[in-house]
Amino acid sequence: MLRIACTATYPDLADACEAAMLAVLAARVQRIPKQGCFSIESSGTHWPCLLPQHGPGKKHDRPIVLADWQRPILERHPGDFLRGLFHSDGCRFANRVTVRGKAYVYPRYMFVNESADIMRLCQWSLDLLGVAWRMNRRNSLSVARRDAVATLDRHVGPKS
């Protein structure tokens, strides 16, 4: 069973998740309502073949490593991978700073994840796109340069 929890706040993301499941493997997808969210679920014996990183325990307590066949796919489509990462564990927001009494507001992306392996995959994908990033904490990555944010805007897009 592949089960993905989706907030009710972003119905377009849930629709995209369902469409992806149907396009890849699922013959049938169902939505199970929960309080404030719902699960998108599909049964199939081959989901573990497509998602070999799945396993028992928390993601940050076990290795998350790409299978040999996954690496070239990610190299060809880093923007799609980043869209999934930022839509699940990231955000785009208006950063507000004051420098010498003058207020500035500019867009910024943040990605937060406890898994060092997932963080490295995010960094590698950003590097593939030529997006400048920096770590502002051990588990938090920031994209703030104007050209870098514009590139992510093209690939990630808004949650809706």
Side-chain angles (χ1 to χ4, degrees), residues 116-129:
D117 290 340
I118 292 173
M119 188 60 75
R120 278 191 291 276
L121 289 170
C122 180
Q123 294 165 347
W124 180 55
S125 299
L126 290 166
D127 290 345
L128 288 172
L129 287 179

Side-chain angles (χ1 to χ4, degrees), residues 12 20-21 24 30 38 52 59 61 70-71 75 92 100-101 112 116 118 122 124 132 135-136 139 144-145 155 157:
D12 289 350
M21 289 171 116
V24 172
Q30 55 187 340
F38 49 88
K59 293 179 300 196
D61 288 337
Q70 291 174 314
R71 184 168 289 279
E75 288 171 341
R92 182 187 192 275
R100 292 185 285 279
V112 178
I118 292 173
C122 180
W124 180 55
M135 298 298 294
N136 54 333
N139 65 343
R145 291 187 178 172
H155 290 278

Side-chain angles (χ1 to χ4, degrees), residues 41-118:
E41 301 179 0
S42 171
S43 298
T45 56
H46 293 291
W47 282 121
C49 300
L50 292 176
L51 303 166
Q53 294 78 14
H54 176 70
K58 297 176 180 176
K59 293 179 300 196
H60 64 275
D61 288 337
R62 58 186 163 83
I64 303 294
V65 180
L66 293 177
D68 289 342
W69 61 270
Q70 291 174 314
R71 184 168 289 279
I73 294 170
L74 192 71
E75 288 171 341
R76 284 192 309 272
H77 305 284
D80 294 328
F81 182 69
L82 289 167
R83 181 173 46 250
L85 290 178
F86 278 92
H87 282 182
S88 64
D89 293 322
C91 64
R92 182 187 192 275
F93 63 97
N95 195 41
R96 300 173 194 292
V97 295
T98 303
V99 178
R100 292 185 285 279
K102 183 161 170 62
Y104 297 91
V105 179
Y106 61 93
R108 179 177 180 184
Y109 279 89
M110 296 288 290
F111 177 74
V112 178
N113 200 290
E114 291 299 320
S115 167
D117 290 340
I118 292 173

